[in-house]
Amino acid sequence: MAQIPNLDNAALNLTALREQSQKELLSIIKSIRGKKCLVIDPKLAGTLSLILQTSALKEYGTELRILSADPLQTECPKVVYLVRSQLNFMKFVANQIKNDESKGLQREYHLYFVPRRIVACEKILEEEKVHQKLTIGEYPLYLVPLDEDVLSLELDYSLQECLIEGDTSSVWHVAKAIHKLEFAFGVIPNIRAKGVASTKAAELLNHMQLEDPVSMDNMGIPEIDTVILLDREVDMVTPMCSQLTYEGLLDEMLEIHNGSVEVDASIMGAQQDGKKVKVPLNSSDKLYKEIRDLNLHVVVQVVRQKATSIQQDYAEVKSTNTQSVSELKDFVKRLHSLPEIARHVNLAQHLQSFAAKPAFHARVEIEQIILEAQTYETCYEYIEEIIQKQEPIETVLRLLVLFSLTNGGLPKKNFDYLRREILHSYGFEHMPLLYNLEKAGLVKRQESRTNWPVISRALQLIVDIKDPENPDDIAYIFAGYAPLSIRLVQHAVRSGWRSIEELLKLLPGPHMDLKRVRCLDH
Amino acid sequence: MSSSVSVAAEWDLLSDRFYRRITIYSPLPWSSPATTTASSSGGGSSGVGRLDLSTHIVAAAPFGGPIAAVRDDSKIVQLHSEPSRRRLLLFSSSGHPLASSPWTPHLPRLHSLAFSSSLNLLALLSDGSLLRFRLPDLNPITSSSPVPLLPPASGGVADAVFWGGGVAILTEDNRVVVTTDIEVDDPHPRELADPGVAEDEQVLCMAVVEPQFVMSGSPEVLLAVGDRVVAVDEDGVQVLGEALEIGPVQKMAVSPNGKLLAAFAHDGRLLVIPTDFSRIIFEYECDSALPPDQIAWCGLDSVLLYWSEVLLMVGPNGDPVQYNYDEPVMLIPECDGVRILTNSSMEFLHRVPDSTTLIFGIGSMSPAALLYDARDHYDKQSAKAYDNYQLISSSLPEAIEACIDAAGYEFDVSRQHTLLRAATYGLAFCSRFPHGRFQEMCKILRVLNAVRDPEIGMPLTVKQYKLLTATVLIGRLINANQHLLALRISEYLNLNPEVVIMHWACEKITASAAIPDVVLLEGLLDKLRLCKGISYAAVAAHADNSGRRKLAAMLVDHESQSSKQIPLLLSIDEQDKALQKSIDSGDTDLVYLVLFHIWQKISVEKSAPLDFFGVINARPLARDLFIAYARHSKHEALKDFFLSTGRLQDAGFLLLKESRELERNPMASKGSPLHGPQVRLVEQAHRLFAETKEHLFESKSAEEHAKLLRVQHQLEVSTKQAIFVGSSVSDTIKTCIVMGNERAAVKVKSEFKVPDKRWYWLKSCALATVGNWDALETFSREKRPPGGYKPFVEACIDAGQKTEALKYIPKLTDPGERSEAYARLNMTEEAKKAASEANNGDELFGRLKSTLAQNTLIDTLRDRLSFQGTY
């Protein structure tokens, strides 16, 4: 199965969106004649694999390389850099060009910024004295369809940039991406935003519509009715919790990147050891589509039921000769789903080996206790213990952040003690990390009473899941915690912000409910 | 059909086709005697002297373009009341003066005038240099000194032929020089192959096949030399049509499609031949053997020859048509006919269109003629109208089409009316005829009538208009400063008025030097508002270039596109505003643009960077972006910035970052005294943190860090193993224990005040790592562990030592923990038992059961599926 998701069932014509991106990339490649080496930054290389088969690029005499700090190894007389406009990549590009020069290599260099040229990047190229040698262009890739119902901006560092560095480039980027989307699907009439960045993005979007209007006349009824913008800052609690759905666990344990996980071949039942295989995970896989959001326990049952039924059929086919041709055909058809079943049996088994560990249960349990915000001491001691045991620092920090967020910070004594324990256990080089967490308000000293219980109660975040196999509330995905952001979206969709206005004030940042003028429908 | 007869009576039959001469403008304003001296540009109609074609060098632009003239000083002229100084005069096609400017004295003799296709006026001087003027005010382009087109010592211009995009010059020493980029700032003349004219020979005449008609894409020059015609281009010379035996050619003209040549031979024959001279298409013997003064094609079907007082139109067969003129004439070829300019009138001679012939032809019974007639009857309320309709009902669409078409060819507005009315009569009966066609023609005619008005003076025909396109027409109107009409036409034709308003605004600024900024701004905004999305920045840029910076600043305020507004604000030195606007725009790229601009300016002006720091420190986004950028490339500047703006903690973190880079540096290898600088940086950071109360924790930590580095350094020296530096306090303790150096571990513990709880975790883990179970047991007996026996249990289970683990599990006080420990050792019964002691025993047990069950379940599933290999 291809990693490029099938988008035929999407509510919007995302295929056209993706084809546009394909076309733009190919026209860049085609515009540079002859043999060329395409150098892509590591993250972008993954993103591009969702847009086209990289083998398609090879047809145009293209060699592929990943941008790194090392000198470029290629025989090609032309080099095309395709990099996201990030400052850190510029030094790499400059160094590679300088390295070629020191070896006396004469090459033609092109640099395409994704999604657009940035003065600051070019400034660094100028300072490195390579700007003149580059032909500079743009590849306006803003949104990438990850699946039939997910578009991603692939902005990994936007939270850090906004909260810690104060660099709000990504907010502009978000607005631009939505504006681009509006050119394809019409002006979105309703915008609901919560948070500093989201309201700013909504403002920018409005401004862009003024500067470079999407015609409201010829488009007919807009295909997108409402856009809901939420700052990550509004709900930092949810990403700190351990996900319990099949897909969530896959991401927790194996990390899903660009719609696929990379696992040891042995896990997938292959003989060769040490080799890694890529397993695509998207809705094109019908079984995956069915089970991705289910609790791992339920997944195991579903997969078992499917496998058993095929096995029974198989037994029947083998034992009797009475089947008609059409029955046989039917059976063969069902056999085709076998690789899918096998794939998920392998993955589920692998996940189970993690999820069954007492440590995992302990963690899920302590998360629940922290979320319920009842017993301070238990939580505090648990965190102290895992620091002293030197469990992975990510685990420690996730719990610590969760604890601090739900508790409205930690008393100064505890705060300083835990921070000191962390520095002693994991090294003083984590000082800036702790400082940044404090700056972002994720781990902080307690200054006022926490409003988490109020929020949690008002939005019914803690739910008792009675029947995990047929859950009636989203809270099943976190063992009884309904994600704050999902509750907000549910309200925004149902009745707008007005009904929860008071509550929104308890969460960081302003909110905004915007109706954009539209021409009459007649 | 009485009305039709009078129309056709004005036609002339040539071969089997009718031609007609339409008087467009008469009399021309210049034919009345002048009253005052010539005024400066664009004065009233009385301001310019009379124009006599016989005493002036004249050029007229095709597509109803303007007329330019300079008095020919090679002729003896009687000056009436005109000034003796020559002037360059510009008129519209209707003879209205548009501009005039004094002709620079002491220039070489003027050879000829011409218009380029974008309506710049070109004046070729006899030494082969070229002057260019921009319309409508005749300002010289680029410089007032002429651009030389000929190589030195070529003897000057003997003959020259212009076309819209260039000029071909024959020099006195019989070389041919062609310039095709005549509009650019510095044109590149190219000399063609040597035509090979012998000493005793003479070039009789010259013609040019324009580049768009030549395969090679460069022009081909035809020269009549002796009794041959040669075609000259860049690659060589070709003698043409020797077999045709034409004899010396006195005058030549290439047809509008570039395929045919009209040549007047020395014996008075007019020949029409293809430009490749393959055959003679037709010839006509004129009465005169004297070559005509002018020769021109009228469309593709006839050739006009002009001798003084006589204009002869020759067609492929039959008698030519002769027109007499008692005044000088200038022929202006158009794509569909010829305009005839005289001292008193402007006429248009063209073939009568087929549709017109159908309707007005004498005795025509065509459906179109009957429809036209029917309308006439209808207006007279005669029943014959319906009779006519019945006669033609089957061919109504073509009749309507003919009436609409014919209306388009008329210059006379009332006749346009009658023809269109005839068409509407037909339309009433004919639903299948596309009504759009009728509306389109009405629109075109409205536009044409508007620009044909003598005040505007652009006598375009439908065909010319379509060839020229509405956009170019609007461009021409703008350049003639007819902004209002251009705007009306744009609006009428649903074209974007932006280009018109923009041009108007710029012209307005140029022409309003005396108007105060505020007043002018009001006037400009009034009109600019008409056009949504117009670039105020472009107008502002023009204002700035015209030396009105204040006006520019006011205009740029109205620009909505930040990406256009901000660069302009920078160029007019409004940096603070630019910075603020860029921040408001939310586009960080624009903020960077402004930042770098200011930074560069400051470094040029050598003012202290403190100014820059001051500017950005007041604006958080600008400040943060500067920091983000400086982190990548300007560490020193960043440190200065932090220190000078009191952000000591950030400077501290910067030092810590540097210290880590030192650590990563292989030069600072473990155990070497190079650790010195690293420790010093950390201590420096510690002092910076200590400066502020808020960063006490960081300050203490940095202090401890420095201390740790020292301790580790000593450990590396004493153990002679470079394994300590860079590890944490806990890891240092573990390493010591693993190495068996308990004393050092305890020392680190006390120096860094490691709490007992952590100490138990670290020590049991380290002892388990080296498998020192006896030591572990001794350790467990030292005293009651402050956090219980969990560290011991976990250390043993993690190391897979079941027996060792069982020593400690019973000592766990919490039954839940005990149960879990047993479960991890797969001791289900014990786990169950322990669970039952716990408060939440049921839940605990349930979970245990399900984990165990799941594992087996999925394993069996995997085995069962192994049959997949069988098919």
Side-chain angles (χ1 to χ4, degrees):
Chain A
M1 193 186 62
Q3 193 185 346
I4 301 180
N6 182 344
L7 302 174
D8 292 348
N9 294 326
L12 296 168
N13 188 355
L14 298 183
T15 315
L17 207 70
R18 185 170 61 196
E19 275 168 4
Q20 176 68 19
S21 301
Q22 280 170 0
K23 235 173 45 204
E24 282 165 353
L25 181 58
L26 287 180
S27 85
I28 288 172
I29 301 295
K30 282 190 235 167
S31 72
I32 298 154
R33 305 208 164 271
K35 275 186 80 73
K36 60 219 150 230
C37 179
L38 184 65
V39 186
I40 314 179
D41 83 58
K43 164 83 185 162
L44 188 63
T47 309
L48 288 184
S49 67
L50 289 167
I51 290 173
L52 42 62
Q53 302 276 8
T54 35
S55 55
L57 296 176
K58 291 187 183 131
E59 282 171 33
Y60 301 98
T62 310
E63 256 178 36
L64 278 180
R65 294 282 182 281
I66 301 295
L67 181 65
S68 70
D70 304 326
L72 181 63
Q73 304 291 342
T74 179
E75 302 289 313
C76 296
K78 295 178 180 179
V79 179
V80 186
Y81 289 99
L82 188 66
V83 294
R84 285 166 303 141
S85 5
Q86 283 179 10
L87 297 170
N88 53 334
F89 294 137
M90 297 304 117
K91 282 250 163 78
F92 292 173
V93 171
N95 286 344
Q96 293 195 339
I97 296 177
K98 285 183 190 163
N99 187 276
D100 283 356
E101 268 170 6
S102 69
K103 286 191 205 142
L105 289 169
Q106 290 275 334
R107 291 205 237 253
E108 190 182 307
Y109 300 98
H110 299 258
L111 172 56
Y112 283 85
F113 283 113
V114 183
R116 61 160 184 165
R117 302 172 73 141
I118 290 287
V119 182
C121 286
E122 292 188 51
K123 185 81 180 171
I124 291 186
L125 295 173
E126 268 168 33
E127 280 165 6
E128 298 283 331
K129 301 192 175 55
V130 294
H131 191 263
Q132 296 292 322
K133 300 183 179 80
L134 286 156
T135 315
I136 290 180
E138 292 183 342
Y139 175 43
L141 181 69
Y142 284 88
L143 282 169
V144 184
L146 281 186
D147 209 328
E148 55 190 38
D149 50 0
V150 184
L151 288 170
S152 172
L153 288 151
E154 298 292 282
L155 294 173
D156 286 359
Y157 300 106
S158 54
L159 183 72
Q160 179 185 337
E161 285 165 3
C162 287
L163 285 188
I164 294 160
E165 288 157 23
D167 174 356
T168 53
S169 305
S170 53
V171 179
W172 185 90
H173 193 118
V174 167
K176 181 79 184 169
I178 299 174
H179 191 53
K180 256 193 108 186
L181 210 59
E182 290 187 314
F183 275 104
F185 303 114
V187 177
I188 304 169
N190 301 302
I191 302 180
R192 304 209 166 106
K194 168 68 190 169
V196 178
S198 295
T199 41
K200 180 76 188 170
E203 273 168 32
L204 289 179
L205 181 59
N206 256 359
H207 191 69
M208 283 173 186
Q209 170 68 10
L210 281 181
E211 277 192 4
D212 180 14
V214 176
S215 159
M216 301 217 218
D217 309 332
N218 324 328
M219 304 280 307
I221 297 167
E223 289 184 60
I224 304 172
D225 173 69
T226 306
V227 59
I228 300 167
L229 297 166
L230 287 182
D231 278 26
R232 177 76 275 170
E233 198 191 356
V234 171
D235 175 17
M236 284 308 299
V237 167
T238 307
M240 300 304 140
C241 301
S242 305
Q243 310 174 66
L244 295 182
T245 64
Y246 182 46
E247 181 162 33
L249 279 166
L250 280 168
D251 192 33
E252 295 272 350
M253 312 286 181
L254 302 168
E255 296 188 11
I256 301 178
H257 288 294
N258 309 302
S260 68
V261 286
E262 226 178 64
V263 292
D264 280 330
S266 57
I267 293 170
M268 300 312 289
Q271 293 306 315
Q272 66 265 64
D273 259 344
K275 230 184 109 189
K276 292 265 186 189
V277 286
K278 244 188 187 179
V279 184
L281 295 169
N282 55 48
S283 303
S284 314
D285 175 343
K286 295 232 178 49
L287 179 57
Y288 185 63
K289 192 178 176 181
E290 188 185 333
I291 61 177
R292 65 195 298 175
D293 294 328
L294 300 180
N295 190 298
L296 184 61
H297 293 254
V298 185
V299 167
V300 171
Q301 284 161 23
V302 171
V303 176
R304 180 180 62 162
Q305 187 260 322
K306 289 200 187 266
T308 339
S309 108
I310 288 189
Q311 207 198 12
Q312 276 166 5
D313 289 353
Y314 180 71
E316 272 174 49
V317 172
K318 248 171 107 179
S319 59
T320 59
N321 298 315
T322 52
Q323 269 94 359
S324 67
V325 176
S326 71
E327 276 173 315
L328 271 177
K329 248 187 181 167
D330 208 43
F331 173 67
V332 171
K333 220 185 203 168
R334 293 179 63 189
L335 271 185
H336 282 307
S337 62
L338 207 55
E340 281 185 359
I341 296 174
R343 182 187 309 140
H344 293 295
V345 165
N346 287 327
L347 285 175
Q349 204 257 348
H350 185 64
L351 293 187
Q352 193 72 26
S353 65
F354 285 103
K357 282 194 181 144
F360 182 76
H361 284 289
R363 188 162 146 214
V364 173
E365 202 173 284
I366 196 75
E367 281 170 12
Q368 286 304 311
I369 297 172
I370 295 176
L371 285 167
E372 282 160 17
Q374 301 286 344
T375 39
Y376 179 85
E377 278 310 312
T378 319
C379 307
Y380 175 74
E381 275 167 14
Y382 183 91
I383 294 171
E384 180 195 9
E385 184 186 307
I386 58 172
I387 296 171
Q388 292 177 341
K389 281 199 307 202
Q390 290 178 298
E391 285 202 8
I393 189 164
E394 292 80 15
T395 316
V396 169
L397 291 178
R398 271 172 81 164
L399 282 177
L400 184 59
V401 169
L402 191 64
F403 188 40
S404 172
L405 287 172
T406 53
N407 201 57
L410 279 75
K412 183 174 183 312
K413 205 178 141 218
N414 293 165
F415 179 53
D416 282 350
Y417 173 74
L418 287 186
R419 284 198 294 172
R420 184 168 177 270
E421 287 297 294
I422 288 174
L423 292 183
H424 274 203
S425 299
Y426 302 96
F428 288 103
E429 66 265 29
H430 292 100
M431 235 167 90
L433 172 63
L434 292 180
Y435 180 65
N436 285 342
L437 286 173
E438 190 183 354
K439 213 167 150 185
L442 296 178
V443 182
K444 57 174 189 179
R445 190 183 314 159
Q446 196 171 39
E447 274 152 359
S448 56
R449 269 194 59 199
T450 171
N451 52 24
W452 173 253
V454 182
I455 296 167
S456 166
R457 217 171 308 122
L459 288 175
Q460 288 176 291
L461 298 185
I462 308 294
V463 180
D464 191 16
I465 300 295
K466 292 185 187 74
D467 179 7
E469 274 156 53
N470 295 299
D472 54 358
D473 191 278
I474 190 72
Y476 79 95
I477 64 173
F478 282 113
Y481 161 68
L484 169 57
S485 36
I486 291 188
R487 283 288 193 255
L488 289 180
V489 171
Q490 285 174 335
H491 276 278
V493 171
R494 226 178 289 142
S495 50
W497 288 149
R498 200 168 312 148
S499 60
I500 49 168
E501 208 132 67
E502 285 311 308
L503 190 85
L504 286 175
K505 287 182 190 155
L506 298 178
L507 296 166
H511 60 274
M512 180 195 253
D513 205 332
L514 201 70
K515 255 211 150 26
R516 296 159 99 198
V517 271
R518 246 179 72 195
C519 60
L520 293 169
D521 277 336
H522 321 293
Chain B
M1 295 174 204
S2 53
S3 59
S4 315
V5 177
S6 60
V7 175
E10 294 166 3
W11 300 350
D12 302 296
L13 188 68
L14 177 70
S15 307
D16 52 350
R17 290 157 185 153
F18 289 104
Y19 281 78
R20 67 175 173 185
R21 211 167 29 148
I22 301 169
T23 304
I24 312 173
Y25 304 117
S26 179
L28 298 178
W30 69 47
S31 54
S32 57
T35 48
T36 55
T37 50
S39 72
S40 60
S41 61
S45 60
S46 62
V48 174
R50 33 186 297 126
L51 178 71
D52 183 350
L53 295 178
S54 60
T55 59
H56 283 75
I57 295 172
V58 181
F63 294 103
I67 298 161
V70 175
R71 202 169 63 224
D72 188 352
D73 63 352
S74 66
K75 288 177 182 157
I76 299 166
V77 175
Q78 185 197 351
L79 296 175
H80 298 276
S81 53
E82 302 165 49
S84 59
R85 281 275 301 279
R86 293 200 290 163
R87 297 186 74 86
L88 179 57
L89 308 169
L90 186 72
F91 300 93
S92 70
S93 271
S94 54
H96 279 280
L98 299 173
S100 82
S101 71
W103 184 255
T104 317
H106 315 305
L107 284 175
R109 194 175 57 78
L110 174 66
H111 178 274
S112 50
L113 284 176
F115 285 98
S116 70
S117 48
S118 54
L119 286 193
N120 288 320
L121 180 61
L122 311 169
L124 181 66
L125 305 181
S126 58
D127 67 341
S129 55
L130 189 74
L131 281 169
R132 293 175 294 177
F133 304 92
R134 189 173 288 124
L135 267 45
D137 40 17
L138 296 176
N139 284 337
I141 294 177
T142 58
S143 71
S144 48
S145 54
V147 185
L149 295 183
L150 296 184
S154 54
V157 180
D159 200 355
V161 176
F162 280 93
W163 69 95
V167 60
I169 302 171
L170 177 72
T171 63
E172 290 288 359
D173 55 0
N174 290 330
R175 288 189 280 168
V176 182
V177 175
V178 161
T179 312
T180 48
D181 51 357
I182 206 139
E183 310 256 21
V184 302
D185 282 353
D186 68 308
H188 300 83
R190 289 169 303 171
E191 188 173 338
L192 300 189
D194 184 358
V197 182
E199 283 282 327
D200 54 337
E201 281 179 320
Q202 207 190 338
V203 178
L204 298 168
C205 62
M206 173 180 180
V208 172
V209 185
E210 295 179 22
Q212 69 264 34
F213 304 125
V214 184
M215 285 275 272
S216 67
S218 51
E220 190 177 82
V221 177
L222 304 174
L223 295 178
V225 184
D227 53 3
R228 64 184 191 276
V229 173
V230 293
V232 189
D233 61 19
E234 266 176 284
D235 303 327
V237 179
Q238 196 188 352
V239 180
L240 295 169
E242 276 172 311
L244 301 180
E245 294 186 342
I246 300 168
V249 172
Q250 306 277 3
K251 207 86 182 172
M252 291 187 287
V254 179
S255 68
N257 65 358
K259 287 190 177 141
L260 302 175
L261 182 76
F264 189 88
H266 70 295
D267 51 3
R269 279 186 304 160
L270 171 73
L271 302 129
V272 170
I273 27 189
T275 41
D276 61 0
F277 282 65
S278 52
R279 65 199 172 97
I280 293 174
I281 294 172
F282 78 85
E283 59 178 84
Y284 171 77
E285 225 160 289
C286 300
D287 296 337
S288 163
L290 270 178
D293 295 337
Q294 295 175 47
I295 179 168
W297 284 81
C298 178
L300 290 173
D301 307 311
S302 65
V303 178
L304 289 173
L305 302 171
Y306 173 73
W307 292 268
S308 184
E309 307 212 330
V310 176
L311 180 64
L312 199 67
M313 180 162 57
V314 184
N317 44 55
D319 288 334
V321 178
Q322 183 177 326
Y323 302 102
N324 293 322
Y325 286 89
D326 56 2
E327 50 182 356
V329 154
M330 181 179 178
L331 301 177
I332 309 165
E334 296 278 6
C335 63
D336 55 348
V338 170
R339 275 189 293 139
I340 302 167
L341 176 67
T342 72
N343 282 348
S344 61
S345 67
M346 172 70 82
E347 298 171 336
F348 182 54
L349 172 61
H350 75 141
R351 210 184 107 192
V352 178
D354 294 341
S355 54
T356 313
T357 323
L358 282 177
I359 298 165
F360 295 118
I362 294 171
S364 172
M365 292 297 282
S366 70
L370 290 170
L371 178 62
Y372 185 81
D373 203 34
R375 176 75 203 199
D376 197 34
H377 287 305
Y378 177 76
D379 284 345
K380 289 179 194 146
Q381 303 197 324
S382 155
K384 276 192 187 164
Y386 192 67
D387 298 344
N388 273 17
Y389 159 68
Q390 286 200 312
L391 280 174
I392 58 167
S393 61
S394 61
S395 39
L396 204 47
E398 59 187 82
I400 299 169
E401 172 58 36
C403 285
I404 294 174
D405 193 53
Y409 289 111
E410 292 302 324
F411 274 75
D412 183 74
V413 177
S414 65
R415 199 174 292 158
Q416 292 168 5
H417 261 267
T418 37
L419 284 164
L420 288 173
R421 280 160 61 83
T424 51
Y425 183 73
L427 279 171
F429 296 100
C430 188
S431 56
R432 62 205 148 108
F433 189 86
H435 281 241
R437 166 82 179 117
F438 178 78
Q439 285 154 1
E440 185 202 347
M441 183 54 82
C442 291
K443 271 198 166 175
I444 292 176
L445 280 175
R446 283 215 175 149
V447 172
L448 290 182
N449 290 339
V451 297
R452 283 169 187 170
D453 185 287
E455 286 299 319
I456 309 293
M458 293 189 186
L460 286 173
T461 65
V462 169
K463 221 172 180 179
Q464 291 164 19
Y465 169 71
K466 285 184 175 164
L467 208 61
L468 189 67
T469 73
T471 327
V472 177
L473 174 62
I474 288 167
R476 288 190 168 199
L477 286 170
I478 296 171
N479 279 328
N481 279 338
Q482 297 289 352
H483 292 102
L484 182 60
L485 182 61
L487 181 64
R488 295 265 157 82
I489 292 179
S490 310
E491 284 169 354
Y492 185 60
L493 298 178
N494 273 333
L495 297 171
N496 189 350
E498 182 173 346
V499 55
V500 180
I501 294 175
M502 181 76 80
H503 189 274
W504 171 84
C506 294
E507 289 293 302
K508 182 81 183 166
I509 291 169
T510 313
S512 314
I515 301 178
D517 289 335
V518 183
V519 181
L520 183 54
L521 179 73
E522 272 314 301
L524 290 171
L525 290 180
D526 231 27
K527 300 286 183 294
L528 289 170
R529 264 184 223 121
L530 291 176
C531 184
K532 222 179 144 194
I534 199 165
S535 172
Y536 286 80
V539 183
H542 182 84
D544 189 37
N545 289 338
S546 313
R548 303 190 69 160
R549 184 149 283 190
K550 256 185 82 187
L551 179 66
M554 291 190 260
L555 276 166
V556 79
D557 247 0
H558 293 267
E559 173 64 58
S560 65
Q561 291 215 21
S562 321
S563 55
K564 286 185 183 161
Q565 185 184 41
I566 284 156
L568 196 73
L569 282 170
L570 290 177
S571 77
I572 60 172
D573 264 344
E574 295 269 359
Q575 293 166 7
D576 280 357
K577 208 179 212 174
L579 188 55
Q580 193 50 50
K581 292 267 180 191
S582 67
I583 291 168
D584 294 344
S585 79
D587 184 347
T588 46
D589 196 37
L590 288 173
V591 182
Y592 270 126
L593 182 77
V594 180
L595 279 181
F596 292 137
H597 183 92
I598 301 178
W599 175 264
Q600 199 141 22
K601 238 183 121 161
I602 282 172
S603 59
V604 168
E605 286 168 2
K606 298 231 172 14
S607 52
L610 281 177
D611 291 357
F612 177 72
F613 292 162
V615 169
I616 60 169
N617 203 33
R619 295 175 169 90
L621 181 60
R623 178 195 66 207
D624 291 344
L625 288 177
F626 168 76
I627 294 171
Y629 166 76
R631 272 191 208 285
H632 281 95
S633 82
K634 296 218 177 315
H635 252 199
E636 285 313 306
L638 187 59
K639 218 186 289 172
D640 288 349
F641 172 72
F642 284 150
L643 292 174
S644 69
T645 51
R647 300 173 56 142
L648 302 179
Q649 73 281 11
D650 288 313
F653 280 115
L654 210 56
L655 290 175
L656 288 183
K657 190 179 165 204
E658 280 173 29
S659 89
R660 273 198 306 286
E661 271 154 18
L662 270 184
E663 189 180 308
R664 252 177 249 136
N665 187 344
M667 283 301 289
S669 64
K670 314 272 154 141
S672 86
L674 271 172
H675 285 312
Q678 195 198 344
V679 177
R680 264 204 299 283
L681 281 171
V682 177
E683 279 172 343
Q684 244 176 306
H686 152 65
R687 281 193 293 278
L688 284 170
F689 288 130
E691 296 275 332
T692 49
K693 257 193 275 166
E694 293 81 27
H695 300 93
L696 208 63
F697 176 78
E698 282 78 11
S699 158
K700 271 190 191 161
S701 304
E703 195 180 8
E704 276 197 304
H705 189 190
K707 190 161 94 182
L708 178 66
L709 283 170
R710 284 219 188 75
V711 168
Q712 288 173 329
H713 183 61
Q714 280 164 9
L715 280 169
E716 290 193 352
V717 171
S718 65
T719 60
K720 298 199 176 58
Q721 297 219 49
I723 48 173
F724 289 98
V725 171
S727 63
S728 68
V729 174
S730 292
D731 288 339
T732 305
I733 290 173
K734 277 188 185 170
T735 313
C736 287
I737 296 172
V738 166
M739 289 171 82
N741 194 344
E742 176 93 16
R743 232 167 52 95
V746 174
K747 191 163 171 262
V748 175
K749 173 185 182 274
S750 64
E751 260 184 72
F752 288 89
K753 300 196 181 67
V754 172
D756 259 357
K757 261 196 207 169
R758 173 142 56 93
W759 168 253
Y760 267 81
W761 282 107
L762 295 176
K763 190 169 170 182
S764 26
C765 174
L767 290 173
T769 313
V770 285
N772 197 344
W773 307 113
D774 295 340
L776 187 66
E777 202 168 342
T778 321
F779 180 41
S780 78
R781 295 212 181 101
E782 262 177 31
K783 63 173 183 183
R784 199 181 148 70
Y789 287 89
K790 210 172 165 191
F792 296 91
V793 175
E794 291 206 3
C796 296
I797 295 180
D798 286 345
Q801 294 293 321
K802 192 169 172 179
T803 343
E804 292 298 324
L806 287 173
K807 287 183 190 164
Y808 307 107
I809 294 178
K811 295 187 177 173
L812 291 172
T813 42
D814 177 20
E817 282 178 2
R818 249 194 340 263
S819 160
E820 245 167 48
Y822 282 125
R824 282 182 71 187
L825 293 172
N826 278 331
M827 297 166 73
T828 325
E829 284 311 311
E830 286 83 349
K832 258 193 238 171
K833 197 166 154 257
S836 65
E837 292 168 28
N839 295 336
N840 55 348
D842 289 346
E843 193 191 315
L844 206 65
F845 179 64
R847 207 170 65 207
L848 281 173
K849 213 170 72 180
S850 78
T851 352
L852 293 169
Q854 292 278 330
N855 271 344
T856 30
L857 180 131
I858 206 135
D859 277 338
T860 46
L861 195 61
R862 231 180 146 194
D863 298 336
R864 282 160 145 193
L865 277 171
S866 60
F867 69 85
Q868 60 178 285
T870 56
Y871 70 95

